[in-house]
């Protein structure tokens, strides 16, 4: 009998820090859901990573619960994929220690995110912030993931994970799969509604700059109404029209219309109409997520059950590899 081809395995994680933006959703999380048909998917809420910057304990716990609910609401299906909270599988932290002994101080010193974050959190440059990429490597390598969907800001970390895997394999024999990055097809990069030369960000000081995926319809409509555009009147994609270009790209992603179709639709109608249409389309697009999130949030017992199952599945999956790693480096067998 012909052997069935094994599905490739995908691992990704997201930190439990606040609600996702429309940018996170379109650029990353909404794609995670779609990947479940084609790949074996494992998705985590990276709470261990979150404590590399100051967190209020009660808020972290709440945000982790909410992020987990949001992940399911966005289409991750705990029956088809493994969805779990990173700290509930102890193997991540254990593997991270072993891998840190195959990671060079110099390599970690070159990580641009470390440099940025040390500047931003100058009063808390802790060792975890420095070794963060090793933990991320452990997340990925523990599952023998083939592919890792990541944003541009995590490319350097993935490259490091590959180097660590190769180095370990060379020294101790084939142990880890060397993972590749997975760049999603719809590469729309959403910009701030208030300054369309800047990326749409969770932490923008201007409340009108960012659409959060749990914003209600009125809020979404209001934010789009106030979006910064230009003094022209034509809805078309052209250099120098950053605000309109951004709105067009958002409208295009949520409606599936091309730029030409959009230009034709709003010919002679002005920006006001266009902004309302974008707001309506985005609100409709996010409505199912918001409804599902509300439903899940009201069912804590179900969420806890999904989390526990997910963590147990994750733990089972990583047990074999951890045993192998421990044996390879010369530890006495794991209990
Ligand atoms: N560091 C990632 C971020 O902040 C989150 C993350 C943790 C991750 N572990 C991972 C992403 C493993 C991909 C694979 O976005």
């Amino acid at each position: 009998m012909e052997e069935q081809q094994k599905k490739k395995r995908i691992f990704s994680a997201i930190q439990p820090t606040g609600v996702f933006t429309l940018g996170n959703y379109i650029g990353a999380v909404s794609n995670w859901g779609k990947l479940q048909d084609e790949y074996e998917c494992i998705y985590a809420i990276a709470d261990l990573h979150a404590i590399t910057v100051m967190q209020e304990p009660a808020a972290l716990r709440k945000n982790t619960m909410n992020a987990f609910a949001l992940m399911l609401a966005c289409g991750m299906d705990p029956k088809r994929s493994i969805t779990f909270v990173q700290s509930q599988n102890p193997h991540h932290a254990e593997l991270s220690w072993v891998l840190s002994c195959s990671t060079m101080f110099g390599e970690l010193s070159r990580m641009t995110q470390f440099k940025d974050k040390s500047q931003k959190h100058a009063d808390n440059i802790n060792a975890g912030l420095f070794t963060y990429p090793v933990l991320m490597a452990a997340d990925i390598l523990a599952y023998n993931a083939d592919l890792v969907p990541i944003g541009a800001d995590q490319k350097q970390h993935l490259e490091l994970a590959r180097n660590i895997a190769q180095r370990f394999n060379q020294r101790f024999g084939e142990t880890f799969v060397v993972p590749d990055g997975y760049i999603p097809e719809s590469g729309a990069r959403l910009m701030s509604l208030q300054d369309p030369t800047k990326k749409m960000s969770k932490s923008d000081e201007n409340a009108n700059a960012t659409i959060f995926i749990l914003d209600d319809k009125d809020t979404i409509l209001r934010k789009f109404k106030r979006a910064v555009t230009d003094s022209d009147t034509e809805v078309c994609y052209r250099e120098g029209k950053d605000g309109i270009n951004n709105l067009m790209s958002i409208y295009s992603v949520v409606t599936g219309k091309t730029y030409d179709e959009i230009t034709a639709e709003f010919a002679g109608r002005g920006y006001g109409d266009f902004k309302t249409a974008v707001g309506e389309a985005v609100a409709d697009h996010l409505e199912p997520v918001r409804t599902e999130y509300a439903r899940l949030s009201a069912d804590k017992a179900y969420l806890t059950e999904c989390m526990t199952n997910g963590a147990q599945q994750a733990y089972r999956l990583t047990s074999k590899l951890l045993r192998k790693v421990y044996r390879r480096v010369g530890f006495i067998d794991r209990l």
Side-chain angles (χ1 to χ4, degrees):
M1 204 170 61
E2 206 178 319
E3 203 186 327
Q4 207 189 338
Q5 210 184 352
K6 230 177 127 222
K7 279 188 179 175
K8 285 203 171 180
R9 187 178 282 176
I10 279 195
F11 181 95
S12 201
I14 189 154
Q15 293 196 46
T17 41
V19 174
F20 309 144
T21 68
L22 182 62
N24 299 139
Y25 182 68
I26 287 175
V29 187
S30 69
N31 297 307
W32 288 11
K34 295 177 204 145
L35 295 173
Q36 296 174 119
D37 300 331
E38 217 176 312
Y39 300 97
E40 185 189 338
C41 295
I42 304 164
Y43 297 127
I45 302 297
D47 58 343
L48 295 177
H49 279 96
I51 63 164
T52 55
V53 300
M54 286 294 179
Q55 301 287 345
E56 210 276 296
L60 177 62
R61 195 164 8 254
K62 191 164 152 258
N63 288 337
T64 301
M65 266 289 182
N66 291 347
F68 188 78
L70 203 49
M71 178 160 83
L72 302 195
C74 288
M76 265 55 80
D77 177 356
K79 296 211 175 59
R80 287 198 289 161
S81 302
I82 299 181
T83 51
F84 72 106
V85 174
Q86 187 187 28
S87 66
Q88 288 196 317
N89 179 359
H91 293 153
H92 294 244
E94 289 182 293
L95 182 59
S96 181
W97 172 254
V98 175
L99 295 181
S100 74
C101 299
S102 283
T103 310
M104 298 301 125
F105 182 85
E107 286 178 303
L108 291 175
S109 310
R110 284 194 291 277
M111 294 292 121
T112 55
Q113 193 176 79
F114 171 70
K115 293 189 222 169
D116 291 349
K117 286 198 181 173
S118 337
Q119 255 172 21
K120 233 166 103 199
H121 305 276
D123 57 340
N124 183 24
I125 308 179
N126 61 78
L129 195 63
F130 188 65
T131 56
Y132 173 120
V134 183
L135 178 60
M136 184 163 155
D139 295 343
I140 300 164
L141 302 182
Y143 296 89
N144 275 327
D146 300 294
L147 296 170
V148 186
I150 38 156
D153 62 324
Q154 298 297 323
K155 258 175 123 168
Q156 201 184 22
H157 292 162
L158 181 65
E159 199 48 46
L160 179 67
R162 290 169 53 88
N163 291 339
I164 296 172
Q166 278 158 347
R167 188 173 302 140
F168 190 99
N169 286 349
Q170 232 156 42
R171 179 155 170 217
F172 297 106
E174 276 312 304
T175 309
F176 298 117
V177 170
V178 180
D180 285 310
Y182 179 91
I183 315 293
E185 289 161 30
S186 95
R189 181 163 178 265
L190 302 201
M191 311 306 275
S192 153
L193 299 184
Q194 290 296 312
D195 176 359
T197 59
K198 264 184 13 196
K199 199 179 136 187
M200 185 181 282
S201 152
K202 265 182 198 173
S203 51
D204 204 304
E205 282 150 24
N206 188 330
N208 289 318
T210 307
I211 303 285
F212 292 99
I213 64 171
L214 298 176
D215 281 349
D216 62 29
K217 185 163 186 170
D218 287 347
T219 307
I220 294 174
L221 286 173
R222 181 168 37 82
K223 287 180 180 174
F224 277 108
K225 260 199 196 107
R226 296 192 182 157
V228 168
T229 50
D230 52 57
S231 54
D232 198 29
T233 54
E234 198 191 349
V235 176
C236 66
Y237 200 98
R238 199 189 303 140
E239 193 168 338
K241 290 170 72 79
D242 293 331
I244 289 294
N245 293 349
N246 187 38
L247 296 184
M248 285 185 76
S249 105
I250 294 173
Y251 192 61
S252 169
V253 171
V254 299
T255 61
K257 293 177 184 167
T258 66
Y259 290 164
D260 286 346
E261 285 166 352
I262 299 169
T263 298
E265 184 179 350
F266 294 97
R269 286 175 58 189
Y271 289 171
D273 269 11
F274 178 50
K275 286 180 180 180
T276 305
V278 181
E280 297 267 357
V282 168
D284 288 349
H285 189 72
L286 295 179
E287 175 59 29
V289 176
R290 227 159 62 84
T291 309
E292 181 62 3
Y293 178 77
R295 192 185 71 78
L296 288 167
S297 300
D299 196 348
K300 290 279 178 302
Y302 174 72
L303 282 179
T304 305
E305 188 194 312
C306 286
M307 260 187 199
T308 307
N309 284 342
Q312 284 169 345
Q313 286 174 292
Y315 184 88
R316 251 180 268 128
L317 214 55
T318 47
S319 292
K320 216 170 122 206
L321 185 77
L322 258 281
R323 192 166 291 284
K324 188 162 163 188
V325 168
Y326 268 41
R327 191 161 300 150
R328 289 262 153 106
V329 301
F331 293 159
I332 306 290
D333 278 347
R334 286 171 73 84
L335 293 176

